[in-house]
Amino acid sequence: MNLVRLPVAVGRFLYGFVVGDDWTVAVVIVLALALTGLLVSIGIDAWWLVPPLAVVMTGIALWRREHKGMNQLAVHSQSEVARQPRSSASAP
Amino acid sequence: MTGAGIVFLTTFLASTVEAIEMVTIVVGVGATRSWRSTLLGAAAGFAILAVVVVGLGAALSAIPIAPLRVLVGALLLLFGLQWFRKGIVRAAANGLAGYQSHEAHDERRSSTGVDWTAFTLSFKGVVLEGLEIALIVVSFGVNAGQLGTAIFAGAGAVVVIGAIGLAVSPTVSRIPRSLLQLVVGTMLTSFGTFWALEGLGVSWPQSDLDIAALLAFYAVAAAALIERERRGTSPALKGVRS
């Protein structure tokens, strides 16, 4: 691996490691951690903020994934139908 | 019990708590991903730790552990949530026993033959927990004037818990991958949440016991989400996922 590709590979690894396939989860968790820090600094022991939010974001990410999967499935099915010869597509 | 005996017991027990967290991560990641890369990461972590401990000695207590906890905790939480999510999807689609996908083999190794994800997780776990053990050893040892005894106790805790971890690792490796990924994802998420918030200055109501509370909370949430996925997933999509 040359010196130009190395930082790109490291960057891709770090993005995959930290962010993964749904960036919204990472953003919300980072914001929740920042908010927790803020609450702690004003004397509120906000240990209760991140865990439920992590679960809610997981639920939302799963829903988004399923929704996306269904859309892809629909597009795939449509393209399959379009690729079929007219005779077989119209056959009973 | 003598002063040295008390220092030994206190340091050993306090170090054992941290060593359990360290070994749990190493064994969990090793069984789920790649043992070779995980052990390489652990070895690299111990090497860095040795350099830091030898280089700083008693000045080790000056290392700001809170920012390190936030960084490592946040990274573990974010990565753990990815496995948590994947584990839920796979458990919902294929059950807890049946998963052996191509992805599990393809995503592991780079061209260097090292699974960097396993390496990094293991490395971070060893460095953070090892540093905490070193801090416990230095604090107890220096304050009691028994640094040698404290070092012996801290090292003993790591060796004992490490040996137990190695002994149970074949059993852990036999756990179905689908279940293991969900369990390790839940563990990483729990440890990550605990460390990140502790680093931010949060006082957990029951201290280290709240790791178990977090594990229970995320496990119950996973069960609910698996059930929701099972009910919401169409048969066609199940075929796509598996």
Side-chain angles (χ1 to χ4, degrees), chain A residues 16-17 21 45 51 59 62 66 73, chain B residues 82 85 89 203 218 229 232 240:
Chain A
F17 191 88
D21 55 359
D45 220 6
L62 289 170
E66 190 173 327
L73 199 64
Chain B
Q82 291 182 48
R85 209 160 57 233
V89 169
S203 297
Y218 284 123
E229 276 283 293
V240 170

Side-chain angles (χ1 to χ4, degrees), chain A residues 19-90:
Chain A
V19 177
D21 55 359
D22 193 330
W23 61 270
T24 56
V25 177
V27 169
V28 170
I29 293 298
V30 168
L31 288 175
L33 288 173
L35 184 59
T36 302
L38 201 68
L39 289 171
V40 168
S41 71
I42 59 169
I44 300 170
D45 220 6
W47 55 267
W48 35 261
L49 181 64
V50 171
L53 210 52
V55 171
V56 168
M57 284 314 295
T58 301
I60 292 172
L62 289 170
W63 181 83
R64 277 159 56 95
R65 180 192 167 110
E66 190 173 327
H67 194 66
K68 202 168 131 188
M70 281 177 174
N71 284 343
Q72 281 173 352
L73 199 64
V75 170
H76 180 71
S77 304
Q78 281 170 4
S79 61
E80 280 293 308
V81 170
R83 250 183 292 170
Q84 282 177 356
R86 191 174 291 273
S87 57
S88 66
S90 58

Side-chain angles (χ1 to χ4, degrees), chain B residues 155-234:
Chain B
V158 174
V159 170
V160 169
I161 300 301
I164 293 171
L166 278 178
V168 301
S169 63
T171 311
V172 175
S173 296
R174 279 200 295 273
I175 297 172
R177 191 171 297 280
S178 180
L179 175 61
L180 198 59
Q181 185 169 39
L182 185 59
V183 170
V184 176
T186 306
M187 277 171 14
L188 293 178
T189 304
S190 304
F191 282 123
T193 304
F194 185 84
W195 289 339
L197 297 193
E198 197 175 44
L200 286 169
V202 163
S203 297
W204 287 97
Q206 302 167 88
S207 194
D208 280 1
L209 270 182
D210 278 321
I211 294 178
L214 283 169
L215 279 167
F217 172 74
Y218 284 123
V220 169
L225 288 169
I226 287 170
E227 192 51 40
R228 198 202 70 169
E229 276 283 293
R230 277 191 180 142
R231 275 190 274 121
T233 305
S234 68

